[in-house]
């Protein structure tokens, strides 16, 4: 490789799916995302969840206050959908710019989703309003039926819930979040751009063996759980080809060490310490660095109907070691994905 191909300058990317939490955890992680990304879609699964315009605006202020001095970063807030959600309140939040989207968690599908939606029938009015006003719906696509194997929950959700939902609300803009299966890739492609999908760095890098072979690895456990190798390869194919429906969403989900390394550990992988660099490594491995900008910086704004970022970032092949932990005031630290391991690509000053 010549020297020129060892660096890459692209429009600054955005993270279309991130968990910041609140309080000391927010203070510990927000700057890591702001170092790399110009904007991020911030998940609303706080305790209690962000279900009102006032709560979203207050949370947005807390995020801005937690950023390092001089950071240029815009949090895009989301509304946590419950069975009780009111279409007028949701619509008002979108009109005022307080909400960028609505997040739909099937009740009990994942971390902090207990107050999620129990059945699509409960939120019909909200979906009707959203399709009228062009407000995106972001979906955690897993069924919670105890009879469905955890590795099949995404594919079954697509068949049982998502396909009928898209048919019933033909103008609703939908993002299937953190896709993990070849089934999802095929389904997204078949919707001709009407359905977007975010892809995490970790699902591009690990399969389910990484969680379970040679010992159980709680820091590689997230939901949707990593699948077989053939699914990982399908995700990589869709992602590194730069296809417009697929865009960057880290699903970086920090949990304190003692919440992960315990008898019943929380779902969530924390990638914010190195996210863009991880994606760059994936694209470089597949000989597709020329598609990174589409995936990371163009496809997301294209789907959301937002302007692309004007500023740029530069990545260089400059191996560095991911820190063992990220400290959190007053609690145990967070352990980043690939803690203590070498990542080949690094963001450098432009
Ligand atoms: C997320 C979290 O910890 O909030 N966990 C995860 O495994 N991805 C919730 C989610 O996005 O499913
Ligand atoms: Zn998430």
């Amino acid at each position: 490789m010549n020297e020129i191909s060892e660096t890459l300058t692209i429009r600054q990317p955005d993270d279309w799916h991130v968990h910041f939490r609140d309080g000391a955890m927010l203070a510990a992680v927000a700057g890591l995302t702001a170092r790399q990304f110009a904007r991020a879609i911030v998940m609303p699964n706080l305790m209690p969840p962000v279900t009102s315009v006032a709560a979203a605006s207050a949370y947005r202020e807390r995020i801005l206050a937690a950023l390092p001095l001089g950071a240029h970063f815009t949090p895009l807030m989301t509304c946590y959908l419950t069975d009780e959600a009111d279409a007028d309140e949701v619509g008002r939040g979108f009109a005022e710019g307080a909400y960028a989207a609505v997040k739909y968690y099937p009740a009990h599908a994942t971390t902090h989703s207990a107050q999620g939606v129990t059945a699509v029938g409960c939120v019909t009015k909200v979906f009707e309003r959203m399709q009228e006003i062009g407000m995106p719906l972001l979906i955690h696509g897993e069924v919670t039926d105890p009879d469905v194997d955890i590795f099949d929950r995404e594919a079954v959700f697509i068949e049982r819930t998502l396909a009928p939902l898209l048919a019933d609300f033909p103008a609703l803009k939908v993002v299937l979040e953190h896709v993990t299966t070849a089934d999802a890739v095929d389904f997204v492609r078949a919707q001709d751009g009407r359905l977007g999908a975010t892809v995490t760095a970790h699902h591009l890098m690990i399969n389910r063996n990484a969680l379970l072979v040679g010992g159980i690895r709680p820091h590689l456990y997230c939901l949707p759980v990593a699948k077989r190798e053939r699914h990982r390869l399908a995700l990589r194919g869709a992602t590194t080809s730069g296809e417009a429906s697929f865009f960057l969403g880290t699903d970086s989900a920090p949990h304190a060490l003692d919440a992960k390394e315990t008898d019943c550990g929380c779902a969530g992988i924390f990638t914010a310490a190195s996210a863009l660099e991880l994606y760059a490594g994936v694209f470089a491995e597949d000989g597709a660095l020329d598609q990174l900008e589409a995936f990371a910086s163009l496809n997301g704004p294209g789907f959301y109907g937002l302007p692309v970022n004007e500023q740029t970032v530069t990545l260089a092949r400059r191996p560095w070691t991911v820190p063992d932990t990220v400290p959190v005031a007053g609690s145990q630290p967070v352990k980043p994905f690939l803690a203590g391991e070498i990542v080949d690509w690094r963001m450098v000053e432009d």
Side-chain angles (χ1 to χ4, degrees):
M1 247 201 211
N2 62 30
E3 206 179 86
I4 291 176
S5 60
E6 298 278 271
T7 69
L8 176 71
T9 298
I10 57 173
R11 281 183 193 270
Q12 189 173 15
D14 306 298
D15 182 350
W16 298 97
H17 182 135
V18 74
H19 299 267
F20 277 160
R21 316 301 189 202
D22 216 336
M25 185 65 89
L26 167 63
V29 304
L32 297 171
T33 291
R35 173 179 77 88
Q36 303 160 75
F37 300 104
R39 297 170 288 198
I41 285 275
V42 181
M43 289 296 125
N45 62 333
L46 302 182
M47 302 283 262
V50 178
T51 54
S52 69
V53 177
S57 303
Y59 185 30
R60 183 174 188 279
E61 291 307 313
R62 296 199 296 282
I63 293 168
L64 294 174
L67 293 172
L69 225 58
H72 294 284
F73 175 78
T74 305
L76 302 171
M77 309 311 293
T78 56
C79 167
Y80 181 114
L81 189 60
T82 67
D83 288 352
E84 289 74 42
D86 174 54
D88 289 337
E89 169 84 354
V90 170
R92 180 173 74 86
F94 188 62
E96 290 176 2
Y99 291 145
V102 166
K103 181 62 191 273
Y104 167 8
Y105 292 103
H108 303 290
T110 185
T111 309
H112 303 166
S113 63
Q115 294 168 72
V117 176
T118 59
V120 171
C122 302
V123 288
T124 306
K125 288 211 157 49
V126 179
F127 288 174
E128 282 168 354
R129 179 67 57 85
M130 290 171 67
Q131 73 176 353
E132 266 168 46
I133 62 179
M135 183 178 193
L137 177 68
L138 318 182
I139 300 186
H140 183 109
E142 289 191 287
V143 292
T144 55
D145 182 343
D147 292 338
V148 177
D149 188 276
I150 191 155
F151 292 100
D152 298 332
R153 287 182 173 196
E154 182 174 280
V156 173
F157 182 90
I158 290 169
E159 187 190 311
R160 280 193 198 164
T161 310
L162 184 56
L165 191 157
L166 294 180
D168 289 347
F169 303 93
L172 187 61
K173 251 169 126 166
V174 178
V175 182
L176 183 57
E177 298 286 4
H178 39 51
V179 289
T180 61
T181 56
D183 312 63
V185 167
D186 292 345
F187 187 78
V188 170
R189 282 182 174 147
Q191 308 310 310
D192 287 330
R194 179 264 167 108
L195 175 66
T198 53
V199 190
T200 76
H202 49 277
H203 288 115
L204 294 168
M205 297 178 71
I206 61 166
N207 63 28
R208 65 194 201 176
N209 277 10
L211 268 97
L212 298 170
V213 173
I216 188 156
R217 308 268 178 189
H219 295 284
L220 300 183
Y221 171 61
C222 68
L223 288 171
V225 69
K227 308 295 191 301
R228 289 177 180 278
E229 179 64 358
R230 81 174 174 88
H231 294 293
R232 186 183 74 93
L233 294 176
L235 296 177
R236 277 181 85 122
T239 299
T240 61
S241 62
E243 287 170 53
S245 298
F246 296 88
F247 39 91
L248 188 160
T250 61
D251 194 19
S252 178
H255 292 279
L257 204 65
D258 53 352
K260 294 288 289 176
E261 298 180 6
T262 179
D263 190 39
C264 183
C266 292
I269 295 180
F270 175 58
T271 47
S274 61
L276 181 58
E277 289 116 339
L278 296 173
Y279 285 108
V282 166
F283 278 72
E285 259 175 49
D286 286 9
L289 278 174
D290 59 334
Q291 296 297 335
L292 180 63
E293 185 175 51
F295 173 75
S297 317
L298 306 179
N299 296 349
F303 185 87
Y304 275 82
L306 294 171
V308 296
N309 298 312
E310 288 305 326
Q311 64 278 29
T312 60
V313 296
T314 297
L315 288 144
R317 188 186 289 277
R318 193 173 294 171
W320 61 288
T321 305
V322 178
D324 284 328
T325 53
V326 169
V328 182
S331 90
Q332 294 225 335
V334 195
K335 191 164 173 176
F337 182 64
L338 301 186
E341 292 184 43
I342 290 178
V343 168
D344 285 340
W345 287 79
R346 186 71 168 145
M347 259 183 74
V348 294
E349 293 301 315
D350 258 351

Coordinates of all heavy atoms in Angstrom, one line a residue, residues 17 19 21 45 110-111 140 178 222-223 251 253 255 267-268, ligand 1:
H17 N -27.5 5.8 16.1 CA -28.1 5.0 17.3 C -27.1 4.9 18.4 O -26.1 4.1 18.3 CB -28.5 3.6 16.8 CG -29.1 2.7 17.8 ND1 -30.2 2.0 17.6 CD2 -28.8 2.5 19.1 CE1 -30.5 1.3 18.7 NE2 -29.7 1.6 19.6
H19 N -26.5 5.1 22.9 CA -27.0 5.2 24.3 C -26.0 6.0 25.1 O -24.8 5.6 25.2 CB -27.1 3.8 24.9 CG -28.1 2.9 24.2 ND1 -29.4 2.8 24.6 CD2 -27.9 2.1 23.2 CE1 -30.0 2.0 23.8 NE2 -29.2 1.5 22.9
R21 N -27.0 7.2 28.3 CA -27.4 7.2 29.7 C -27.5 8.6 30.3 O -27.8 9.5 29.6 CB -26.4 6.3 30.6 CG -26.0 5.0 29.9 CD -27.1 4.1 29.6 NE -26.6 2.8 29.2 CZ -27.3 1.9 28.5 NH1 -28.5 2.2 28.1 NH2 -26.8 0.7 28.2
N45 N -34.0 5.2 26.3 CA -34.3 4.2 27.3 C -33.6 4.5 28.6 O -32.9 3.7 29.1 CB -34.0 2.8 26.8 CG -32.6 2.5 26.5 OD1 -31.8 3.5 26.1 ND2 -32.1 1.3 26.6
T110 N -35.4 -5.8 25.5 CA -33.9 -5.5 25.7 C -33.8 -4.7 27.0 O -34.8 -4.5 27.7 CB -33.3 -4.8 24.5 OG1 -31.9 -4.6 24.7 CG2 -34.0 -3.4 24.2
T111 N -32.6 -4.2 27.3 CA -32.3 -3.4 28.4 C -33.3 -2.2 28.5 O -33.5 -1.5 27.5 CB -30.9 -2.8 28.3 OG1 -30.0 -3.9 28.1 CG2 -30.4 -2.1 29.6
H140 N -36.6 -1.5 17.5 CA -35.8 -2.7 18.0 C -36.5 -3.9 17.5 O -37.6 -4.3 18.0 CB -35.7 -2.6 19.5 CG -34.8 -3.8 20.0 ND1 -33.6 -3.6 20.6 CD2 -35.1 -5.1 20.1 CE1 -33.1 -4.7 20.9 NE2 -33.9 -5.7 20.6
H178 N -29.9 -1.8 14.3 CA -28.9 -2.8 14.6 C -29.2 -4.2 14.0 O -29.5 -5.1 14.7 CB -28.6 -2.9 16.1 CG -29.8 -2.8 17.0 ND1 -30.9 -3.6 16.9 CD2 -30.0 -2.1 18.1 CE1 -31.7 -3.3 17.8 NE2 -31.2 -2.3 18.6
C222 N -24.9 -8.5 23.7 CA -25.8 -7.4 23.4 C -27.0 -8.0 22.8 O -27.1 -9.2 22.5 CB -25.1 -6.4 22.5 SG -25.0 -7.0 20.8
L223 N -28.0 -7.1 22.6 CA -29.2 -7.5 21.9 C -29.5 -6.6 20.8 O -29.3 -5.4 20.9 CB -30.4 -7.5 22.9 CG -30.4 -8.6 23.9 CD1 -31.5 -8.4 25.0 CD2 -30.6 -10.0 23.3
D251 N -25.0 1.6 18.3 CA -25.6 1.0 19.5 C -24.6 0.9 20.6 O -24.7 -0.1 21.4 CB -26.2 -0.4 19.1 CG -27.2 -0.9 20.2 OD1 -27.7 -0.1 21.0 OD2 -27.4 -2.1 20.2
A253 N -23.5 0.9 24.0 CA -24.5 0.8 25.2 C -23.7 0.5 26.5 O -23.4 -0.6 26.8 CB -25.5 -0.3 24.9
H255 N -22.5 0.0 30.2 CA -22.9 -0.5 31.5 C -21.7 -0.6 32.4 O -20.6 -1.0 31.9 CB -23.5 -1.9 31.4 CG -24.8 -2.0 30.6 ND1 -26.0 -1.7 31.2 CD2 -25.1 -2.4 29.3 CE1 -27.0 -1.9 30.3 NE2 -26.4 -2.3 29.1
A267 N -27.4 -6.6 28.8 CA -27.1 -6.6 27.3 C -26.6 -5.2 27.0 O -27.1 -4.2 27.4 CB -28.3 -6.9 26.5
G268 N -25.5 -5.2 26.2 CA -25.0 -3.9 25.7 C -23.5 -4.0 25.5 O -22.8 -4.4 26.4
Ligands
LIG1 C1 -29.1 -1.5 24.8 C2 -29.0 -0.9 26.2 O1 -28.1 -1.3 27.0 O2 -29.6 0.1 26.5 N1 -28.5 -2.8 24.9 C3 -28.1 -3.6 23.8 O3 -27.7 -4.7 24.1 N2 -28.1 -3.1 22.6 C4 -30.5 -1.6 24.5 C5 -30.7 -1.9 23.0 O4 -30.5 -1.1 22.1 O5 -31.2 -3.0 22.7

